[in-house]
Structure formats: C-alpha cells, structure tokens
C-alpha cells in the first residue's frame, strides 16, 4: 500500500468556529486567512486531502485540509519515495501568478527604452542617476543592445542622493530620453538636476514606490525572463557569466 507523510511546518489549526456567511473557506483555512494568509487556489491532493496554494508576505506555502474538514496543516506533502508533491501546485498557482504580476507592474512603470523595440530579450532595470553600478551595467550591456538583441528598459528612480529624484526626472522628461541617458552614462559630468513638470516628477515618485513595494534595496536591480520563461532578478552589475545569462546569448 502506498503511504503518504506530511512534513509539518509552522502550525496546525483545529476548527473552533463556523464559517462566516461571507466566505466559502473551511473554518481552519478561514482562521489562517484571518491571520494574514492569502489563498491563491484550491487543488486536489492525494490521501483525501484538500490542498490550498497560499502565501504570506511573499513566502509561498501549501496548506492541506484533513478529510474531516476540521484541521489544516501547513507544510510539504511527500510520497513514500520522498517526492515533493507541493512544489508543482505552488509553482502553478503562486509563483507563476506572482511573477506575472511583477512583470505587469514593471511594464506599467515609467522607463526609458534603450535599444531595439523588436529585440529578442527585454530587461527591466531600476536605475538611479547617481549609481556607479548602474553606469557599469549600462556599459556592460552595450554589445547586446547595439547588436539589436536586447532592449533595456531603465526604470528611473531617485533614491541614492538628494538630487537623484530631480536627475531622474530630467532624464525622463528629456526630448530624447534614450539619448539623454546615453550622454549621462558616458560622460564625466552627467545630467544636471532641473525642474520638470509635475507629471514627470510624479513618475519618478511612482517608480520609487514600486521599488519599495518590491522590497528592493539596491540599484541596479534587473528583471528578465529566462529561456524557460521564469522571472529572474539580478542585483548589481553582474559578473561575465551571469551577464551572458541575462542577455540570453554569447557576447556579440
């Protein structure tokens, strides 16, 4: 007979209350929801269990409801061969969905297009005008950008220095933002802070808020989709091997 075991993590809850009228979650699941757990999907699990793909503060986790509907266990479900049966549901219902949300948020941010819009690979990178590592990454990317293989989308933020927001706004508000960014990154003096229309200043503020909501700490932070379609994040100016991986092809 094939057996199942649960690697129990975090907590086990016993239902002590009934469901409220405005929810369809079983009582133990509702108790977790009230503690801040977000339920992304319900799925069938072996052994008569009901599975729930969930997350808490960005950390994904599987929750299993016992057949009597009275208890929930948070943890990893494994079979007799030691196979992880929780990974696939979490990947499908939590990680993939979260990655799609992040990518959409990046698309909706305010960025400067650097390179061919028809390039095979698109990278979003948070760029502060006063960041030396952003300047280095800009230089590192030139072979792929100039060959038309990669388009960088610089999400301009102002977080490092007191004049960073004004410089970021000056770049976003330039007549030719891509050219202005090129001159800024390749010259000794760089762009000067200058007053911009309120709309442009609000764009920088919105980018800063997005940077914070993503829990980021440093620039550049770059996002791209790998060959497998999964979202990847890289902080700082990468080493050569990682750079090639990000760009999706050998150096031109």
């Amino acid at each position: 007979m094939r057996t199942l075991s649960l690697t129990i993590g975090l907590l086990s809850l016993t239902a002590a209350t009934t469901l409220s009228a405005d929810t369809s979650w079983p009582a133990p699941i509702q108790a977790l929801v009230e503690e801040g757990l977000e339920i992304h999907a319900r799925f069938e699990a072996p052994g008569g269990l009901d599975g729930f793909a969930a997350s808490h503060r960005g950390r994904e986790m599987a929750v299993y409801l016992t057949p009597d509907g009275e208890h929930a266990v948070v943890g990893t479900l494994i079979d007799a061969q030691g196979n992880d049966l929780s990974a696939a549901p979490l990947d499908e219902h939590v990680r993939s969905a979260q990655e799609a949300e992040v990518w959409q948020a990046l698309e909706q941010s305010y960025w400067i297009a650097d390179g061919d819009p028809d390039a095979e690979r698109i990278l979003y990178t948070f760029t502060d005008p006063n960041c030396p590592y952003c300047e280095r990454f800009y230089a590192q990317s030139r072979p792929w950008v100039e060959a038309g293989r990669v388009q960088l989308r610089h999400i301009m933020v102002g977080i490092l220095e007191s004049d960073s927001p004004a410089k970021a706004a000056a770049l976003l508000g330039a007549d030719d933002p891509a050219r202005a960014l090129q001159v800024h990154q390749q010259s000794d003096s760089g762009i000067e802070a200058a007053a911009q229309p309120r709309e442009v200043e609000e764009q920088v503020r919105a980018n800063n808020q997005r940077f914070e909501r993503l829990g980021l700490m440093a620039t550049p932070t770059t996002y791209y989709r790998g060959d497998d379609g999964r979202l990847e994040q890289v902080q700082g100016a990468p080493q050569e091997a990682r750079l090639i991986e990000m760009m999706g092809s050998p150096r031109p």
Side-chain angles (χ1 to χ4, degrees):
M1 178 179 178
R2 193 176 187 184
T3 60
L4 293 166
S5 65
L6 275 174
T7 302
I8 301 174
L10 299 184
L11 54 98
S12 175
L13 291 178
T14 301
T17 59
T18 59
L19 283 173
S20 61
D22 59 350
T23 181
S24 60
W25 300 128
I29 304 302
Q30 180 62 25
L32 288 169
V33 169
E34 291 173 359
E35 291 295 323
L37 203 71
E38 181 178 0
I39 304 298
H40 298 272
R42 188 170 187 165
F43 61 92
E44 292 185 4
L49 300 170
D50 256 350
F52 296 82
S55 66
H56 184 258
R57 296 180 181 177
R59 178 187 174 190
E60 68 269 7
M61 58 189 68
V63 183
Y64 295 96
L65 185 71
T66 55
D68 61 8
E70 295 296 313
H71 305 82
V73 182
V74 182
T76 301
L77 186 67
I78 60 173
D79 63 17
Q81 288 71 46
N83 298 309
D84 183 346
L85 304 181
S86 300
L90 288 177
D91 187 68
E92 177 184 356
H93 298 298
V94 183
R95 297 183 195 122
S96 295
Q98 289 177 335
E99 289 175 3
E101 290 176 3
V102 170
W103 192 257
Q104 183 179 39
L106 297 172
E107 290 179 326
Q108 294 174 348
S109 59
Y110 299 98
W111 39 268
I112 297 174
D114 174 22
D116 189 340
D118 295 323
E120 295 178 359
R121 179 158 295 199
I122 292 174
L123 291 80
Y124 289 92
T125 185
F126 284 89
T127 300
D128 186 294
N130 289 315
C131 171
Y133 297 102
C134 297
E135 181 180 339
R136 182 185 302 176
F137 180 54
Y138 185 92
Q140 287 178 310
S141 68
R142 291 308 89 195
W144 288 271
V145 171
E146 292 172 0
R149 297 183 186 178
V150 167
Q151 184 189 63
L152 289 183
R153 295 180 176 179
H154 296 266
I155 303 172
M156 302 307 304
V157 295
I159 58 174
L160 293 182
E161 304 289 347
S162 60
D163 63 352
S164 287
K167 286 184 175 181
L171 290 166
L172 281 173
D175 292 337
D176 185 346
R179 175 60 180 166
L181 181 62
Q182 179 186 28
V183 172
H184 172 74
Q185 298 289 34
Q186 295 180 344
S187 67
D188 294 333
S189 57
I191 198 166
E192 293 187 4
Q196 297 296 315
R198 183 175 180 178
E199 177 184 356
V200 178
E201 293 176 350
E202 288 294 332
Q203 291 175 357
V204 176
R205 187 173 293 108
N207 285 347
N208 287 354
Q209 292 172 346
R210 182 159 283 123
F211 183 89
E212 293 175 1
R213 283 198 297 269
L214 289 170
L216 306 182
M217 302 295 292
T219 55
T221 296
T222 305
Y223 290 87
Y224 69 97
R225 290 196 178 277
D227 294 335
D228 59 359
R230 302 311 300 266
L231 189 64
E232 301 284 346
Q233 182 200 95
V234 178
Q235 293 190 12
Q239 298 295 323
E240 181 70 11
R242 186 64 163 140
L243 177 66
I244 291 172
E245 182 180 311
M246 293 170 66
M247 298 299 162
S249 65
R251 182 178 290 273

